[in-house]
Amino acid sequence: MTGWRFPFGAPVLPRPPSRTTRSKAYVLGAYPSALHVSWQPADGGARIQALAVDNEPEPFWAGAGEEEAIAEWKKKVSFDEKGWGRISASGRLNGSSGAWVEANVLRPLGVTRNEACITDCLNTYRASTGVEKRIGDTYLPFAARLHIPEAALEPHPSENEIVVEALKGHRERLRAELVATTPDVVVTLGNAALRVFRELIPSTSSSAPSKLSPRTDLYGAAHSIRINGKAAVWFPLAHPAAPKSYQATHERWVAKRVG
């Protein structure tokens, strides 16, 4: 337990990688998402369409079993529907990034989710600016009135903050994951993951890029690396939440791979 807490009381916990044994691919993101719900407060306050309330079931969760996950969360926090309000699914937010990774990263590389170790540079959820705002203006006043658990979530970090924290506190975990999975293919999603991974591979790979390029002729090029003495291929790619310029370039990369 980290000491950080979601609305309604669930603790923020470290998310383990999706696999810890030999894997065809190793996919590295920035930090986990969360289980989100739509919440209508019982006192008639403004509805929050997407409120983070629990740890993501798995890294880059694709949304499978959403209703079951919400029901399990409600049971875990003893959610009081009469006193606390109405809960429903939050729309397409749950699983959107994971579904994108399956369709636009794993499938073009000929890898299934079950064959991939999916993980993150940081292993605990960080709240977006929007979530922080709605917790502050809606949830915390509500919680104070009803004397229910307050929420305290780490804020969304910058790219540099992700890199510094990952290399300081997660370097050995990430190296251990790489050794345990000995993948044939490594995929980094976004510049933060790219920069962290560069520091985990041997110095012979120093010619690898230091940042993503939106240029079609440079984006998504394969780089030869070695992991625990074994040859592998590294694809630095965009994160699902990347700016549109990278998204467009990534779409062209996908078209080349599947065409």
Side-chain angles (χ1 to χ4, degrees):
M1 179 172 172
T2 65
W4 302 98
R5 193 167 293 277
F6 289 100
F8 303 108
V12 177
L13 300 174
R15 295 290 80 202
S18 63
R19 283 174 61 94
T20 56
T21 56
R22 173 79 172 89
S23 303
K24 189 172 180 180
Y26 180 87
V27 180
L28 181 64
Y31 56 86
S33 184
L35 173 68
H36 291 78
V37 299
S38 176
W39 173 50
Q40 175 61 62
D43 62 3
R47 171 183 288 275
I48 299 181
Q49 182 58 38
L51 180 66
V53 295
D54 202 0
N55 302 284
E56 188 175 37
E58 62 179 336
F60 284 97
W61 177 45
E66 178 183 22
E67 294 292 343
E68 292 84 353
I70 293 173
E72 182 62 28
W73 161 75
K74 291 171 72 175
K75 181 179 178 181
K76 179 167 61 177
V77 301
S78 300
F79 192 87
D80 178 4
E81 294 190 357
K82 184 176 179 180
W84 296 358
R86 295 195 306 274
I87 293 294
S88 58
S90 64
R92 296 182 60 189
L93 180 60
N94 282 331
S96 58
S97 291
W100 186 93
V101 168
E102 287 185 6
N104 296 287
V105 174
L106 296 179
R107 193 171 303 154
L109 292 173
V111 179
T112 66
R113 173 177 280 270
N114 289 338
E115 295 173 317
C117 170
I118 307 176
T119 188
D120 286 291
C121 295
L122 310 180
N123 61 1
T124 52
Y125 173 71
R126 310 303 165 97
S128 68
T129 302
V131 166
E132 281 191 290
K133 182 177 185 301
R134 296 313 306 274
I135 287 176
D137 66 22
T138 302
Y139 178 77
L140 289 180
F142 180 88
R145 289 194 295 273
L146 273 68
H147 306 290
I148 62 177
E150 295 187 350
L153 298 172
E154 288 188 88
H156 170 69
S158 68
E159 177 185 318
N160 283 338
E161 287 169 339
I162 293 170
V163 173
V164 170
E165 183 178 345
L167 294 177
K168 181 179 180 181
H170 298 268
R171 186 191 296 263
E172 294 310 311
R173 170 180 65 84
L174 295 170
R175 281 178 171 164
E177 290 174 2
L178 285 165
V179 170
T181 57
T182 56
D184 302 312
V185 174
V186 172
V187 176
T188 52
L189 300 173
N191 279 316
L194 181 158
R195 291 169 58 190
V196 169
F197 183 70
R198 269 182 60 97
E199 298 298 319
L200 303 178
I201 55 179
S203 57
T204 52
S205 301
S206 59
S207 60
S210 57
K211 65 179 295 185
L212 291 170
S213 172
R215 286 177 45 182
T216 303
D217 59 329
L218 298 177
Y219 178 87
H223 299 273
S224 297
I225 57 172
R226 299 193 74 81
I227 297 173
N228 199 31
K230 175 183 174 296
V233 178
W234 170 29
F235 291 92
L237 300 175
H239 190 275
K244 288 184 177 180
S245 59
Y246 284 105
Q247 295 285 354
T249 305
H250 185 83
E251 288 176 5
R252 290 190 286 272
W253 177 85
V254 171
K256 288 182 181 178
R257 298 285 309 188
V258 302

